[in-house]
Amino acid sequence: MNSSVHHAPRFSLKHSLESGQFFRWTEKDGHYTVLRGQRLFRVRQDGDTLDYDGADLWFLREFFALDQDYDSIERALRRDRRLWEALDAYPGLRVLRQDPWECTAAFITSIASNIPRITGNVADMATHYGIPIRLGGVSAHTFPRPDRLDDEAGLRKLRLGFRSAYLVQAARLARSGILEEIASLAYDDAKTTLMVIPGVAEKVADCVLLFAYGRLNAFPVDTWIRKVMIRMFFKGLRVPDRAIRAFASERWGELAGVAQQYLYHWSRRSGAFTSRGREPRSSEAPAPVSTRR
DNA sequence: GGCCAGGTCCAAT
DNA sequence: ATTGGACATGGC
């Protein structure tokens, strides 16, 4: 195999791929096989060096956001002491830049699911509707383009459940070009436009904006983030998701989404935050605990 | 076995 | 403007 190398300091392949933002990878002995859009490539990290083949450097830089100054991003987030533990636990974790359509479909699939199941569902859609692809001895299937996913009955057979109809609708809108429009829109308009897609509401829209469009201010609130944010900043009292988003936006601004990804990964891994159980509801619009940074 | 899952939608307050 | 239940299926 002819592989290339690239110097990628302050980047963790492992933490970036394994933090639950992306579902199309496998790992064996430190070698990652990755499917992103129509591309299949292999990559391995040795210290600051990335060893890869099956994709060019341009593609790698795009996907892993290697052109982005995470040094200053992390320095900015580090001004918030509340993030130290998560930042220190997963140094080099980056928000990836996924293919917009694949990301949209994946996070529709993620609704009321869990990572192992999402991974399986997405893989099933690929094997069933995608295009065979090969790299060296590795065979796989690309994630199906929107025109191939127009099959609600077939998706139900793949156990996608109620998400099947959403996926079909999303595919139709994707074919109409809605995902290309998004790139040129400001965050609010982009989000509103995404939410036109059935099955895409606030949370999924924020995932897509964050994980595919590089909108690092997007702050998806799922059950885990809700839990960790309520415990860290709202005295353990239940508040509306919109209050959590507003708080995150005010506290972390344009980098809220990066903070989100650290907190998400950290809260799940630490085990301190079982997502079970509901918080007692706060009676009225609660002032978030004021915390010094 | 039962509860809840990287939610969304709709109907009934 | 908020809240509860249905939705398919399965992980733990």
Side-chain angles (χ1 to χ4, degrees):
Chain A
M1 117 182 42
N2 33 356
S3 65
S4 313
V5 295
H6 180 64
H7 185 62
R10 284 167 249 97
F11 170 67
S12 169
L13 179 64
K14 178 184 176 66
H15 298 151
S16 302
L17 285 177
E18 298 187 3
S19 56
Q21 55 181 312
F22 179 68
F23 308 100
R24 301 279 283 155
W25 59 272
T26 56
E27 183 271 343
K28 194 178 183 189
D29 302 325
H31 294 73
Y32 292 83
T33 302
V34 178
L35 285 142
R36 193 260 190 202
Q38 306 304 298
R39 219 25 140 279
L40 167 63
F41 67 95
R42 281 183 298 225
V43 57
R44 168 175 83 83
Q45 181 166 28
D46 187 2
D48 284 353
T49 303
L50 246 33
D51 211 322
Y52 63 96
D53 78 321
D56 58 24
L57 183 53
W58 181 90
F59 190 85
L60 237 67
R61 295 175 81 101
E62 169 71 15
F63 182 53
F64 293 126
L66 296 177
D67 53 334
Q68 207 147 17
D69 185 3
Y70 264 79
D71 206 16
S72 76
I73 289 176
E74 288 182 17
R75 208 162 43 237
L77 289 177
R78 201 168 283 282
R79 291 186 311 178
D80 187 344
R81 297 189 175 201
R82 294 292 195 106
L83 292 179
W84 283 8
E85 197 172 339
L87 288 166
D88 290 339
Y90 302 103
L93 167 55
R94 288 181 182 224
V95 172
L96 302 172
R97 289 202 282 252
Q98 303 182 34
D99 173 81
W101 158 241
E102 182 175 325
C103 186
T104 302
F107 279 94
I108 287 174
T109 301
S110 82
I111 296 173
S113 187
N114 52 74
I115 291 177
R117 186 180 174 200
I118 301 161
T119 305
N121 284 155
V122 174
D124 285 346
M125 286 190 270
T127 24
H128 208 80
Y129 299 107
I131 298 166
I133 188 171
R134 178 183 297 272
L135 174 66
V138 184
S139 306
H141 292 260
T142 63
F143 189 78
R145 295 277 78 203
D147 58 310
R148 297 279 301 146
L149 224 53
D150 195 11
D151 179 14
E152 184 177 336
L155 290 170
R156 285 184 183 274
K157 282 182 190 157
L158 293 181
R159 322 312 296 173
L160 267 296
F162 61 81
R163 304 164 194 81
S164 307
Y166 294 155
L167 287 164
V168 168
Q169 289 307 308
R172 290 192 175 141
L173 284 164
R175 271 176 276 152
S176 79
I178 189 173
L179 296 178
E180 284 72 34
E181 276 180 55
I182 307 286
S184 60
L185 297 178
Y187 171 76
D188 287 334
D189 291 337
K191 187 165 175 177
T192 304
T193 304
L194 274 172
M195 289 172 61
V196 165
I197 302 172
V200 178
E202 300 251 17
K203 190 270 173 183
V204 171
D206 276 328
C207 282
V208 174
L209 288 169
L210 179 60
F211 299 138
Y213 290 94
R215 308 299 177 94
L216 300 186
N217 60 315
F219 192 88
V221 177
D222 78 317
T223 166
W224 290 92
I225 284 296
R226 188 176 303 125
K227 198 83 175 176
V228 66
M229 290 295 287
I230 283 174
R231 186 181 298 187
M232 287 179 76
F233 300 111
F234 292 88
K235 304 174 180 172
L237 299 176
R238 214 172 128 196
V239 293
D241 289 349
R242 102 179 95 69
I244 299 176
R245 285 191 293 270
F247 177 81
S249 173
E250 187 171 332
R251 192 178 181 94
W252 300 309
E254 291 304 305
L255 301 178
V258 183
Q260 180 276 157
Q261 196 55 26
Y262 272 98
L263 289 173
Y264 176 77
H265 195 37
W266 171 74
S267 65
R268 285 170 46 87
R269 286 288 173 89
S270 74
F273 296 83
T274 61
S275 72
R276 302 208 155 193
R278 305 240 156 101
E279 311 294 351
R281 107 177 45 188
S282 77
S283 35
E284 57 211 26
V289 296
S290 74
T291 49
R292 233 161 262 111
R293 306 194 188 181

Coordinates of all heavy atoms in Angstrom, one line a residue, chain A residues 230-281:
Chain A
I230 N -27.5 20.6 33.1 CA -28.4 20.9 34.2 C -27.6 20.7 35.5 O -27.7 21.5 36.4 CB -29.6 20.0 34.1 CG1 -30.6 20.5 33.1 CG2 -30.3 19.9 35.5 CD1 -31.8 19.7 32.8
R231 N -26.8 19.7 35.5 CA -26.1 19.4 36.8 C -25.0 20.5 37.0 O -24.8 21.0 38.1 CB -25.4 18.0 36.8 CG -24.8 17.7 38.1 CD -24.1 16.4 38.1 NE -25.0 15.3 37.9 CZ -24.7 14.0 38.1 NH1 -23.4 13.7 38.4 NH2 -25.5 13.0 37.9
M232 N -24.3 20.9 35.9 CA -23.2 21.8 36.1 C -23.6 23.2 36.3 O -22.9 24.0 37.0 CB -22.2 21.7 34.8 CG -21.4 20.4 34.8 SD -20.3 20.4 33.3 CE -19.1 21.6 33.8
F233 N -24.7 23.6 35.6 CA -25.0 25.0 35.6 C -26.4 25.4 36.0 O -26.7 26.6 36.1 CB -24.8 25.6 34.1 CG -23.4 25.4 33.6 CD1 -23.1 24.5 32.6 CD2 -22.3 26.1 34.2 CE1 -21.8 24.3 32.1 CE2 -21.0 25.9 33.7 CZ -20.8 25.0 32.7
F234 N -27.3 24.4 36.3 CA -28.6 24.8 36.6 C -29.1 24.2 37.9 O -30.2 23.8 38.1 CB -29.6 24.4 35.5 CG -29.4 25.2 34.2 CD1 -28.5 24.9 33.3 CD2 -30.2 26.4 34.1 CE1 -28.4 25.6 32.1 CE2 -30.0 27.2 32.9 CZ -29.1 26.8 31.9
K235 N -28.1 23.9 38.8 CA -28.4 23.4 40.2 C -29.2 22.1 40.1 O -30.0 21.9 41.1 CB -29.2 24.5 41.0 CG -28.6 25.8 41.1 CD -29.5 26.8 41.7 CE -28.8 28.2 41.8 NZ -29.8 29.2 42.3
G236 N -29.1 21.4 39.1 CA -29.8 20.1 39.0 C -31.3 20.2 38.7 O -32.0 19.3 38.8
L237 N -31.7 21.4 38.4 CA -33.2 21.6 38.1 C -33.5 21.6 36.6 O -32.8 22.2 35.9 CB -33.7 22.9 38.8 CG -33.5 23.0 40.3 CD1 -33.9 24.4 40.8 CD2 -34.4 21.9 40.9
R238 N -34.5 20.9 36.3 CA -34.9 20.9 34.9 C -35.3 22.2 34.3 O -36.0 23.0 34.9 CB -36.2 19.9 34.8 CG -36.2 19.1 33.5 CD -37.3 18.1 33.7 NE -38.2 18.2 32.5 CZ -39.4 17.7 32.5 NH1 -39.9 17.1 33.5 NH2 -40.1 17.7 31.4
V239 N -34.8 22.5 33.2 CA -35.1 23.7 32.4 C -35.4 23.4 31.0 O -35.0 22.3 30.5 CB -34.0 24.8 32.5 CG1 -33.8 25.3 33.9 CG2 -32.7 24.2 32.0
P240 N -36.1 24.2 30.3 CA -36.3 24.0 28.8 C -35.0 23.9 28.1 O -34.0 24.6 28.4 CB -37.1 25.2 28.4 CG -37.7 25.8 29.6 CD -36.7 25.5 30.7
D241 N -35.0 23.1 27.0 CA -33.7 23.0 26.2 C -33.3 24.4 25.7 O -32.1 24.7 25.6 CB -34.0 22.1 25.0 CG -34.1 20.6 25.5 OD1 -33.8 20.4 26.7 OD2 -34.5 19.8 24.7
R242 N -34.3 25.2 25.4 CA -33.9 26.5 24.8 C -33.1 27.4 25.8 O -32.3 28.2 25.5 CB -35.2 27.2 24.4 CG -35.7 28.3 25.2 CD -37.0 28.9 24.6 NE -38.2 28.3 25.1 CZ -38.7 28.4 26.4 NH1 -38.0 29.1 27.2 NH2 -39.8 27.8 26.7
A243 N -33.4 27.2 27.1 CA -32.6 27.9 28.2 C -31.2 27.4 28.2 O -30.2 28.1 28.4 CB -33.3 27.7 29.5
I244 N -31.0 26.1 27.9 CA -29.7 25.5 27.9 C -28.9 26.0 26.7 O -27.7 26.4 26.8 CB -29.7 24.0 27.8 CG1 -30.4 23.4 29.1 CG2 -28.3 23.4 27.7 CD1 -30.6 21.9 29.1
R245 N -29.6 26.1 25.5 CA -28.9 26.6 24.3 C -28.5 28.1 24.5 O -27.4 28.5 24.2 CB -29.9 26.5 23.1 CG -30.0 25.1 22.6 CD -30.7 25.1 21.2 NE -32.1 25.4 21.4 CZ -33.1 24.6 21.6 NH1 -32.8 23.3 21.7 NH2 -34.3 25.0 21.7
A246 N -29.4 28.9 25.1 CA -29.2 30.3 25.3 C -28.0 30.5 26.3 O -27.1 31.3 26.0 CB -30.4 31.0 25.9
F247 N -28.0 29.6 27.3 CA -26.9 29.7 28.3 C -25.5 29.4 27.6 O -24.5 30.1 27.8 CB -27.1 28.8 29.4 CG -26.0 28.7 30.4 CD1 -25.9 29.7 31.4 CD2 -25.1 27.7 30.4 CE1 -24.9 29.6 32.3 CE2 -24.1 27.6 31.3 CZ -23.9 28.6 32.3
A248 N -25.5 28.3 26.8 CA -24.3 27.9 26.1 C -23.8 29.0 25.2 O -22.6 29.2 25.0 CB -24.6 26.6 25.4
S249 N -24.8 29.5 24.5 CA -24.4 30.6 23.5 C -23.8 31.8 24.2 O -22.8 32.4 23.7 CB -25.7 31.0 22.7 OG -25.4 32.1 21.9
E250 N -24.4 32.1 25.3 CA -23.9 33.3 26.0 C -22.5 33.0 26.6 O -21.6 33.8 26.6 CB -24.8 33.7 27.1 CG -24.4 35.0 27.8 CD -25.5 35.5 28.7 OE1 -26.7 35.2 28.5 OE2 -25.2 36.2 29.7
R251 N -22.3 31.8 27.1 CA -21.1 31.5 27.8 C -19.9 31.1 26.9 O -18.8 31.5 27.1 CB -21.3 30.3 28.7 CG -20.2 30.0 29.7 CD -20.6 28.8 30.6 NE -19.6 28.5 31.6 CZ -19.5 29.0 32.9 NH1 -20.5 29.8 33.3 NH2 -18.6 28.7 33.7
W252 N -20.2 30.4 25.8 CA -19.2 30.0 24.9 C -19.2 30.5 23.5 O -18.3 30.2 22.7 CB -19.1 28.4 24.9 CG -18.9 27.8 26.2 CD1 -17.9 28.1 27.1 CD2 -19.7 26.8 26.9 NE1 -18.1 27.4 28.3 CE2 -19.2 26.6 28.1 CE3 -20.9 26.1 26.5 CZ2 -19.7 25.6 29.0 CZ3 -21.4 25.2 27.4 CH2 -20.8 25.0 28.6
G253 N -20.3 31.2 23.2 CA -20.4 32.0 21.9 C -20.1 31.1 20.7 O -20.8 30.1 20.5
E254 N -19.2 31.5 19.9 CA -19.0 30.9 18.6 C -18.3 29.5 18.7 O -18.2 28.8 17.8 CB -18.1 31.8 17.7 CG -18.7 33.0 17.2 CD -20.0 32.8 16.5 OE1 -19.9 32.0 15.5 OE2 -21.1 33.3 16.8
L255 N -17.9 29.2 20.0 CA -17.3 27.9 20.2 C -18.1 26.9 21.0 O -17.7 25.9 21.5 CB -15.9 28.1 20.9 CG -15.0 29.0 20.1 CD1 -13.7 29.2 20.9 CD2 -14.6 28.4 18.8
A256 N -19.4 27.3 21.2 CA -20.3 26.5 22.0 C -20.3 25.0 21.6 O -20.3 24.1 22.4 CB -21.7 27.0 22.1
G257 N -20.3 24.8 20.3 CA -20.4 23.4 19.8 C -19.2 22.6 20.1 O -19.3 21.4 20.3
V258 N -18.1 23.2 20.1 CA -16.9 22.5 20.5 C -16.9 22.1 22.0 O -16.6 20.9 22.4 CB -15.6 23.3 20.2 CG1 -14.3 22.5 20.6 CG2 -15.6 23.8 18.8
A259 N -17.4 23.0 22.8 CA -17.6 22.7 24.2 C -18.6 21.6 24.4 O -18.4 20.6 25.1 CB -18.1 23.9 25.0
Q260 N -19.6 21.6 23.6 CA -20.6 20.6 23.6 C -20.0 19.2 23.3 O -20.3 18.2 24.0 CB -21.7 20.9 22.6 CG -22.8 19.9 22.5 CD -22.5 18.7 21.6 OE1 -23.1 17.6 21.7 NE2 -21.6 18.8 20.7
Q261 N -19.2 19.1 22.3 CA -18.6 17.8 22.0 C -17.7 17.3 23.1 O -17.7 16.1 23.3 CB -17.9 17.9 20.6 CG -17.6 16.5 20.0 CD -18.9 15.7 19.9 OE1 -20.0 16.2 19.7 NE2 -18.7 14.4 19.9
Y262 N -16.9 18.1 23.7 CA -16.1 17.7 24.8 C -17.0 17.2 26.0 O -16.8 16.2 26.5 CB -15.2 18.9 25.3 CG -13.9 18.9 24.6 CD1 -13.7 19.8 23.6 CD2 -12.8 18.1 25.0 CE1 -12.5 19.9 22.9 CE2 -11.6 18.2 24.4 CZ -11.4 19.1 23.3 OH -10.2 19.1 22.7
L263 N -18.0 18.0 26.3 CA -18.9 17.6 27.4 C -19.7 16.4 27.1 O -19.8 15.5 28.0 CB -19.9 18.8 27.7 CG -19.3 20.0 28.3 CD1 -20.3 21.2 28.4 CD2 -18.7 19.7 29.7
Y264 N -20.1 16.2 25.9 CA -20.8 15.0 25.5 C -20.0 13.8 25.7 O -20.4 12.8 26.4 CB -21.3 15.1 24.1 CG -22.0 13.9 23.5 CD1 -23.3 13.6 23.9 CD2 -21.3 13.0 22.7 CE1 -23.9 12.5 23.4 CE2 -21.9 11.8 22.3 CZ -23.2 11.6 22.6 OH -23.8 10.4 22.1
H265 N -18.8 13.8 25.1 CA -17.9 12.6 25.2 C -17.5 12.4 26.7 O -17.5 11.2 27.1 CB -16.7 12.9 24.4 CG -15.8 11.7 24.1 ND1 -16.4 10.5 23.8 CD2 -14.5 11.5 24.0 CE1 -15.4 9.6 23.6 NE2 -14.3 10.2 23.7
W266 N -17.1 13.4 27.3 CA -16.7 13.3 28.7 C -17.8 12.8 29.6 O -17.6 11.9 30.4 CB -16.2 14.7 29.2 CG -15.9 14.7 30.7 CD1 -14.8 14.2 31.3 CD2 -16.6 15.4 31.7 NE1 -14.8 14.4 32.6 CE2 -16.0 15.2 32.9 CE3 -17.8 16.1 31.6 CZ2 -16.5 15.7 34.1 CZ3 -18.3 16.6 32.8 CH2 -17.6 16.4 34.0
S267 N -19.0 13.3 29.5 CA -20.1 12.9 30.4 C -20.4 11.4 30.2 O -20.8 10.7 31.1 CB -21.3 13.8 30.2 OG -21.8 13.6 28.9
R268 N -20.4 11.0 28.9 CA -20.7 9.6 28.6 C -19.6 8.7 29.1 O -19.9 7.6 29.7 CB -20.9 9.4 27.1 CG -22.2 10.0 26.6 CD -22.2 10.0 25.1 NE -21.8 8.7 24.5 CZ -22.6 7.7 24.3 NH1 -23.8 7.7 24.6 NH2 -22.1 6.6 23.8
R269 N -18.4 9.1 28.9 CA -17.3 8.2 29.3 C -17.0 8.2 30.8 O -16.6 7.1 31.4 CB -16.0 8.7 28.7 CG -15.9 8.3 27.2 CD -15.7 6.9 27.0 NE -15.8 6.5 25.6 CZ -14.7 6.5 24.8 NH1 -13.5 6.8 25.2 NH2 -14.9 6.1 23.5
S270 N -17.3 9.3 31.5 CA -17.0 9.4 32.9 C -17.8 8.4 33.8 O -17.4 8.0 34.8 CB -17.1 10.8 33.4 OG -18.5 11.1 33.5
G271 N -19.1 8.1 33.3 CA -19.9 7.3 34.0 C -20.6 8.0 35.2 O -21.5 7.4 35.8
A272 N -20.2 9.2 35.4 CA -20.9 10.0 36.5 C -22.3 10.4 36.1 O -23.1 10.8 36.9 CB -20.0 11.2 36.9
F273 N -22.5 10.4 34.8 CA -23.8 10.9 34.3 C -24.6 9.8 33.6 O -24.6 9.7 32.4 CB -23.6 12.0 33.3 CG -22.9 13.2 33.9 CD1 -21.5 13.3 34.1 CD2 -23.7 14.3 34.4 CE1 -21.0 14.4 34.6 CE2 -23.1 15.4 34.9 CZ -21.7 15.5 35.1
T274 N -25.2 8.9 34.4 CA -26.1 8.0 33.8 C -27.2 8.9 33.3 O -27.7 9.8 33.9 CB -26.7 7.0 34.8 OG1 -27.3 7.8 35.8 CG2 -25.6 6.2 35.4
S275 N -27.7 8.6 32.0 CA -28.7 9.5 31.5 C -30.1 9.2 32.0 O -31.1 9.7 31.6 CB -28.7 9.4 30.0 OG -29.2 8.2 29.6
R276 N -30.2 8.2 32.9 CA -31.5 7.8 33.4 C -32.0 8.8 34.4 O -31.3 9.5 35.2 CB -31.4 6.4 34.0 CG -30.9 5.4 33.1 CD -31.4 4.1 33.4 NE -31.4 3.2 32.2 CZ -32.0 2.1 32.2 NH1 -32.7 1.7 33.2 NH2 -32.0 1.4 31.1
G277 N -33.3 8.8 34.5 CA -34.0 9.6 35.6 C -34.2 11.0 35.1 O -33.4 11.6 34.3
R278 N -35.2 11.6 35.6 CA -35.5 13.0 35.3 C -35.1 14.0 36.4 O -35.2 13.6 37.6 CB -37.0 13.2 35.1 CG -37.6 12.2 34.0 CD -38.2 12.9 32.9 NE -38.2 12.1 31.6 CZ -39.2 11.5 31.2 NH1 -40.4 11.6 31.8 NH2 -39.2 10.8 30.1
E279 N -34.8 15.1 36.0 CA -34.5 16.1 37.0 C -35.8 16.7 37.6 O -36.8 16.8 36.9 CB -33.7 17.3 36.4 CG -32.5 16.8 35.6 CD -31.4 16.2 36.4 OE1 -31.5 16.2 37.6 OE2 -30.5 15.6 35.8
P280 N -35.7 17.1 38.8 CA -36.9 17.8 39.4 C -37.1 19.1 38.6 O -36.1 19.7 38.2 CB -36.5 18.1 40.8 CG -35.1 18.1 40.8 CD -34.7 17.0 39.8
R281 N -38.3 19.5 38.3 CA -38.5 20.6 37.4 C -38.4 21.9 38.2 O -38.9 22.0 39.4 CB -39.8 20.5 36.6 CG -40.9 21.4 37.1 CD -42.1 21.2 36.2 NE -42.4 19.8 35.9 CZ -43.3 19.4 35.1 NH1 -44.0 20.3 34.4 NH2 -43.6 18.2 34.9

